[in-house]
Amino acid sequence: MQTWDTIIIGAGNAAFCAAHAAREKGASVLMLECAPEAENGGNSRYTAGAIRFAYDGADDIRALCPDLSEEQIAITDFGTYTQEQFFDDMFRVTRFRTDPALCERLVTTSRETMHWMRGKGIRFMPIYGRQAFKVDGRFKFWGGLTLEAWGGGPGLVDAHTEIARASGVEIRYETRALELLTDGHAVTGVKVRHRGELQDLRARSVVIASGGFQASPEMRTRYLGPGWEMARVRGSRFNTGEGIKMAMAAGASTYGNWSGCHAVGWDYNAPEFGDLDVGDGFQKHSYPWGVMVNATGRRFVDEGADFRNYTYAKYGRVILNQPDQFAWQVFDAKVTHLLRDEYRIKRATKVTAPTLEELAQKLEGVDPQGFLDEIRAYNAAVDTGTPFDPNVKDGRGTRGLAVPKSNWANTIGDGPFEAYQVGCGITFTFGGLRIDPDSAQVLDNDLAPVPGLFAAGELVGGIFYFNYPGGTGLISGSVFGRLAGEHVLGG
Ligand SMILES: Cc1cc2nc3c(=O)[nH]c(=O)nc-3n(C[C@H](O)[C@H](O)[C@H](O)COP(=O)(O)OP(=O)(O)OC[C@H]3O[C@@H](n4cnc5c(N)ncnc54)[C@H](O)[C@@H]3O)c2cc1C
């Protein structure tokens, strides 16, 4: 019977990074993917490909994006995103809960991992438009999120697949990992099901990179809490926590924020799972330029607390906790030109009206008088003396409101008005397995390494708590996937 040096469970970004690194070490690699090939790539395919990493300035960006023209470079201020800034963001948004050793590995090797990916053939480009607005003829990047993979998530997955295949990696689709095989101590392979047939596959090591448990309503409700079975899944329907469960059955220790997840405002009428034709188009992330109201017509959250990169991942939960689990995002004509592309998709739950009174009647499920009273009070509280600037936290807030808006506060007064209904869309779960930060090897309940077992990507616990800096999911999978791949042969 064939024995592989390593079997990797999953075929998303983390899994592919593990595969490339393992191949570099000369390991034979088999990847198992439960999805059919037409739905390959897991959550990674659903992403925009935005990827966060520490960089020192334009030279780093130029090295990662050799296709950039001199003209583009001349009109762009890439700024810097130093390791210190990345650490600050991780500590701030996780309220200092992130595991220091995992976070250090993530931040300090993010840049070299990007160069390694580029060296493998993954292409990147700056995220003009969404992460940099043009002001006085120049683009200025903000929020530490500067590059995305060429072709977004689909481009990233296709490039990974091509690189893996070219290096001799075998990928088996429609092959579901069911159970880890062990000799009572070390992991020795994987029991799989392929088109109804069970098979035991032997390996010297196994890397689990099969994502979180967000696509399991049962696990969502069990660990995130009541109401979470109602959330829509933004991405892959295949990330049902099986990798986590099979590792636990083999003695792995659990870690991290099991009641926490990344969840965003997501079109109220979006389907149960992600739709690859729409990608991440159901998200609605321009709320910093407007207001959000619930069924009572009242605002319930500071839409301008920070750049959307630092608030969007926790506001899904806030929306889930509103009456009937929805909100309407409301914008007036002063800001509609700033709305992200996702607001222009056909399948948006949208209403428009020339006046606020007419809009109030169209906001399904909302108390119209409550809404009109709320907007009147909000408009009166806006500090119109401070200039509006979408590229910086402009400090143009509200005064005296119980729910303040801290930045980018504009009156909602100029018609026509646009409003978009959102519910909660879950992206991925934060709780998972405990790994050794120096090898990505899974630890057992004595915190000793489980021989032959590694993990990377969404199912690694201890990195994210409560919230998440946008673009960190991919880089986390890349850093720890690569680390796992480097260690599958030992040493
Ligand atoms: C709509 C959306 C947009 C996003 N945008 C971004 C972004 O721009 N930037 C960013 O950094 N992050 C983003 N994320 C988060 C990002 O997708 C994840 O953090 C990252 O892709 C996780 O990679 P992974 O390799 O761990 O998991 P995945 O890419 O989900 O791969 C896991 C794979 O395992 C497979 N699998 C599951 N169970 C089994 C089993 N039992 N047997 C075999 N295979 C199995 C799944 O089918 C899947 O293909 C986004 C997520 C979504 C849903």
Side-chain angles (χ1 to χ4, degrees):
M1 182 192 279
Q2 182 170 2
T3 300
W4 281 271
D5 288 324
T6 194
I7 291 181
I8 300 174
I9 305 176
N13 178 61
F16 278 116
C17 287
H20 305 328
R23 285 299 298 133
E24 270 181 0
K25 296 280 177 188
S28 57
V29 178
L30 172 68
M31 297 178 81
L32 307 174
E33 171 54 60
C34 63
E37 189 164 0
E39 290 181 78
N40 72 345
N43 258 2
S44 303
R45 178 172 283 279
Y46 286 85
T47 69
I51 189 158
R52 181 176 294 263
F53 64 102
Y55 65 89
D56 292 329
D59 286 346
D60 264 336
I61 303 299
R62 200 193 293 249
L64 287 164
C65 311
D67 303 325
L68 271 181
S69 68
E70 286 307 319
E71 293 78 59
Q72 281 172 304
I73 290 169
I75 59 158
T76 309
D77 176 2
F78 291 109
T80 57
Y81 188 60
T82 61
Q83 291 189 6
E84 288 67 32
Q85 287 170 290
F86 199 169
F87 274 124
D88 282 350
D89 282 343
M90 285 295 293
F91 291 145
R92 182 167 48 86
V93 304
T94 66
R95 294 188 235 151
F96 292 89
R97 294 282 184 168
T98 182
D99 177 291
L102 290 172
C103 183
E104 178 158 356
R105 171 68 60 178
L106 173 70
V107 169
T108 59
T109 62
S110 61
R111 178 172 170 274
E112 67 178 65
T113 302
M114 287 291 284
H115 286 277
W116 173 79
M117 287 173 78
R118 174 67 213 165
K120 291 274 147 219
I122 306 284
R123 296 166 71 196
F124 300 102
M125 56 188 278
I127 314 174
Y128 287 109
R130 281 182 295 133
Q131 291 300 138
F133 296 110
K134 201 171 189 180
V135 174
D136 298 332
R138 273 178 77 72
F139 285 98
K140 183 174 166 50
F141 276 84
W142 47 269
L145 187 53
T146 302
L147 297 189
E148 64 189 349
W150 193 273
L156 175 67
V157 169
D158 291 348
H160 268 314
T161 310
E162 209 172 293
I163 296 161
R165 284 202 170 120
S167 76
V169 172
E170 184 186 350
I171 310 171
R172 293 192 189 169
Y173 295 101
E174 295 178 61
T175 304
R176 180 176 289 278
L178 300 176
E179 194 184 308
L180 295 173
L181 305 173
T182 74
D183 61 7
H185 182 46
V187 170
T188 56
V190 185
K191 182 184 279 303
V192 303
R193 190 177 59 227
H194 174 66
R195 299 190 178 158
E197 287 208 3
L198 297 180
Q199 215 183 336
D200 287 351
L201 303 175
R202 299 284 161 195
R204 293 181 185 88
S205 64
V206 172
V207 180
I208 310 184
S210 52
F213 59 82
Q214 62 275 3
S216 161
E218 187 270 345
M219 285 184 81
R220 283 206 303 274
T221 315
R222 180 187 294 263
Y223 296 112
L224 305 181
W228 278 96
E229 65 276 33
M230 312 293 188
R232 304 290 161 102
V233 176
R234 295 179 64 204
S236 167
R237 65 191 170 95
F238 295 100
N239 292 9
T240 51
E242 285 181 338
I244 297 175
K245 287 196 281 196
M246 67 183 90
M248 286 166 65
S253 169
T254 58
Y255 197 35
N257 186 201
W258 273 70
S259 61
C261 67
H262 180 302
V264 308
W266 190 245
D267 192 283
Y268 190 62
N269 292 305
E272 182 182 2
F273 301 109
D275 178 337
L276 280 171
D277 291 337
V278 181
D280 59 6
F282 290 122
Q283 68 192 8
K284 295 290 172 274
H285 288 345
S286 294
Y287 54 83
W289 318 138
V291 294
M292 284 198 276
V293 297
N294 65 17
T296 68
R298 308 292 175 186
R299 291 176 55 249
F300 54 90
V301 75
D302 182 346
E303 303 89 345
D306 205 332
F307 288 122
R308 74 97 212 161
N309 300 14
Y310 302 116
T311 58
Y312 79 113
K314 60 180 179 176
Y315 281 0
R317 180 184 286 266
V318 180
I319 294 166
L320 189 90
N321 289 334
Q322 299 310 305
D324 290 333
Q325 303 182 318
F326 74 82
W328 282 91
Q329 299 179 353
V330 180
F331 305 96
D332 86 352
K334 290 192 287 296
V335 295
T336 43
H337 67 284
L338 290 175
L339 298 188
R340 293 159 54 104
D341 293 348
E342 68 233 20
Y343 285 77
R344 304 289 165 238
I345 66 168
K346 277 200 184 121
R347 288 165 67 184
T349 306
K350 170 186 180 183
V351 295
T352 57
T355 67
L356 277 174
E357 288 68 23
E358 284 165 273
L359 186 74
Q361 298 302 326
K362 288 186 170 178
L363 299 180
E364 201 176 323
V366 174
D367 169 15
Q369 195 53 52
F371 170 71
L372 291 172
D373 292 346
E374 182 73 359
I375 297 298
R376 203 167 299 123
Y378 167 81
N379 283 346
V382 171
D383 163 21
T384 48
T386 304
F388 171 71
D389 184 345
N391 276 325
V392 295
K393 285 206 263 181
D394 62 5
R396 181 181 158 111
T398 55
R399 294 205 188 101
L401 294 181
V403 180
K405 184 169 181 190
S406 304
N407 294 285
W408 311 297
N410 281 310
T411 53
I412 307 285
D414 299 350
F417 301 91
E418 292 183 11
Y420 297 80
Q421 191 178 27
V422 289
C424 172
I426 183 168
T427 321
F428 66 94
T429 44
F430 291 160
L433 304 174
R434 190 190 287 259
I435 61 166
D436 176 348
D438 296 326
S439 64
Q441 196 161 0
V442 173
L443 303 180
D444 68 13
N445 286 320
D446 296 321
L447 304 189
V450 179
L453 188 61
F454 298 82
E458 262 174 15
L459 49 58
V460 172
I463 300 173
F464 306 118
Y465 289 78
F466 314 120
N467 192 8
Y468 155 102
T472 319
L474 287 174
I475 195 67
S476 164
S478 300
V479 163
F480 292 105
R482 179 186 177 208
L483 191 64
E486 285 172 347
H487 286 84
V488 290
L489 292 179

